[in-house]
Amino acid sequence: MTVIDRTIVLAGATSASGLALARALVDAGARVVATGRSVERLQPLKDAGAEVEVADATSLDDMTALAARLGPVDGVISLVGGWRGGGGLAGQSDDDFRALLPALEAVRATSRAFDGALRASDAGRFAMVSATAVARPLAGGANYAAVKAASEAWTRAVAQGYAKAARDADEPLRAASVAFRAKALDPAALAPAIVALWDSDAAELNDRIVDLA
C-alpha cells in the first residue's frame, strides 16, 4: 500500500506539527485537507499545497458536515493539543482542565464523523497524538495526563469498533486506529510516522500505541 492519492484530513492543523505533516503528506503524493478555525492561520497550510477548510475539529456538527462534503476519506489525524501544568496537584485548576479538554473533544468528534468513511476505505487510518505522561503521570501534569489517557482510551475503542465491524462483515480488517506518544512532540518525528501508516497492513497497526521517542 501507499499514501499516494489518499485523502487525508488533518483536524486542527494550525500548528508547527500540522504544517510539517501537511508538507510531508503532500510531498508523498497525498491529497491533504487541513482544518482550523482561522483563515489566516490556515494560509501556510494552503501555501504548502493542502486544501483548507474553516471548521472546528472539536465540533461534531462541523466535522460531520465536512465528512459529507469530502466523501471518500482514507485518513483522519487529530492534532488538537496544548499544554497546561505545574503547581503540583493543588495547581491542577479547573480552568486548566477545561483548556485541555478540546484535545479529547477533537478525538471524539473526528472519529465519530468520519467513522463510516474510514471503514469504507481500503486503508482507513485514524490517529491522534498522545504523550508519554500517560504511562507516568506526575502531580503537576495530572490534568494533562488525564485528558491524554482519555483520548487514548477513546482511540482504542475506535480500534475495537473497526475490528468488530470487520468480523461482523466477515471481511479483512482494512481500517486502523493508532495513538502516537511523545514526550515533547517533534514535528520531524511525527511526520514520517504518519506517512508510514499506509505502508503497513491494518491488522499490524490497529490498536497500537506507538512511542515516537
Side-chain angles (χ1 to χ4, degrees):
M1 291 184 292
T2 175
V3 76
I4 295 173
D5 294 330
R6 300 285 184 188
T7 297
I8 317 297
V9 176
L10 304 182
T14 57
S15 64
S17 295
L19 182 57
L21 185 48
R23 286 172 173 160
L25 286 166
V26 168
D27 288 348
R31 173 198 179 199
V32 177
V33 180
T35 80
R37 294 181 293 179
S38 164
V39 173
E40 291 76 19
R41 294 188 66 190
L42 284 167
Q43 188 60 48
L45 292 139
K46 187 175 184 179
D47 294 341
E51 300 173 31
V52 297
E53 293 275 352
V54 177
D56 184 352
T58 70
S59 166
L60 180 59
D61 288 344
D62 279 14
M63 291 297 101
T64 299
L66 178 60
R69 290 198 300 273
L70 293 179
V73 166
D74 303 292
V76 175
I77 316 300
S78 183
L79 294 170
V80 176
W83 157 258
R84 288 197 184 189
L89 200 63
Q92 303 303 291
S93 73
D94 291 347
D95 284 345
D96 284 349
F97 185 69
R98 283 189 289 269
L100 293 165
L101 272 178
L104 172 59
E105 293 168 344
V107 168
R108 294 182 68 248
T110 54
S111 61
R112 293 164 69 196
F114 288 95
D115 183 61
L118 293 178
R119 288 192 289 107
S121 170
D122 65 348
R125 302 289 184 265
F126 179 79
M128 56 81 64
V129 180
S130 185
T132 55
V134 172
R136 190 174 183 273
L138 304 177
N143 279 333
Y144 179 74
V147 169
K148 289 298 187 182
S151 298
E152 280 194 16
W154 187 278
T155 301
R156 296 194 67 191
V158 172
Q160 191 275 334
Y162 292 162
K164 183 178 185 301
R167 288 196 305 271
D168 290 349
D170 196 23
E171 294 179 350
L173 180 63
R174 299 186 180 93
S177 179
V178 180
F180 290 94
R181 282 183 184 172
K183 183 175 182 180
L185 183 57
D186 178 5
L190 177 64
I194 295 292
V195 173
L197 288 174
W198 286 268
D199 293 340
S200 301
D201 187 85
E204 300 174 11
L205 292 171
N206 198 40
D207 201 20
R208 282 190 62 194
I209 306 295
V210 179
D211 190 342
L212 289 175

